[in-house]
Amino acid sequence: MRELRLLSALATIAMMAAPGLAAARGVSAIAGKPQYPTEGYCWEGSNNTLGAVRNGCPSTKVWVMPAVIDAPGWYVATTTVYALNTSATVGCMVEGVNAAANWHWFEPMLYVQSFGSDQQISTKGAYVPAGGQLYIHCEVGPGSWIKGTTWALQ
């Protein structure tokens, strides 16, 4: 039994030390919140799209999802969305913020290219310094959905 625990510990250390092994993390959209808390009434879920959120207001709103990071560096994200049409499009971006929350790194918003079905928006990346945070922001048109996101070190 002792040997098995030792082998398991050695395998874990070897995986952690192997270069290029960056585990992706992810969350359902429901883990996020409206950019402006007063707009909480705009967002709704559905039993048919578990963990997803829909913009139920007549104008575009922003949904923000926090992303747990394991190390400083450049992060990319892939977010699954459903945009109804060109009038109700969805765009997403990542934002890295330093620990003091007085500097941030971000990219321009990237929008879906197709409508009426699930699409993925893959961001170009944002830098997160040691002790910083990562967020995924999505502009969501009326009646459109955010389903979830994954992220990893670039």
Side-chain angles (χ1 to χ4, degrees), residues 81-91 111-119 144:
V81 304
Y82 182 97
L84 286 176
N85 53 49
T86 56
S87 298
T89 191
V90 179
Y111 292 88
V112 295
Q113 300 299 310
S114 298
F115 304 94
S117 64
D118 285 355
Q119 300 294 314
S144 292

Side-chain angles (χ1 to χ4, degrees), residues 23-24 54-55 58 74 81 83 85 90 94 115-116 130-131 134 140 143:
R54 177 182 172 273
N55 176 3
W74 286 91
V81 304
N85 53 49
V90 179
V94 290
F115 304 94
L134 181 68
V140 184

Side-chain angles (χ1 to χ4, degrees), residues 22-38:
R25 290 183 175 253
V27 294
S28 295
I30 199 72
K33 67 179 197 109
Q35 181 177 19
Y36 301 106
T38 57

Side-chain angles (χ1 to χ4, degrees), residues 14 18 28 45 53 57 60 95 98 110 117 140 142:
S28 295
V53 293
C57 277
T60 297
E95 178 183 29
N98 69 345
L110 298 174
S117 64
V140 184

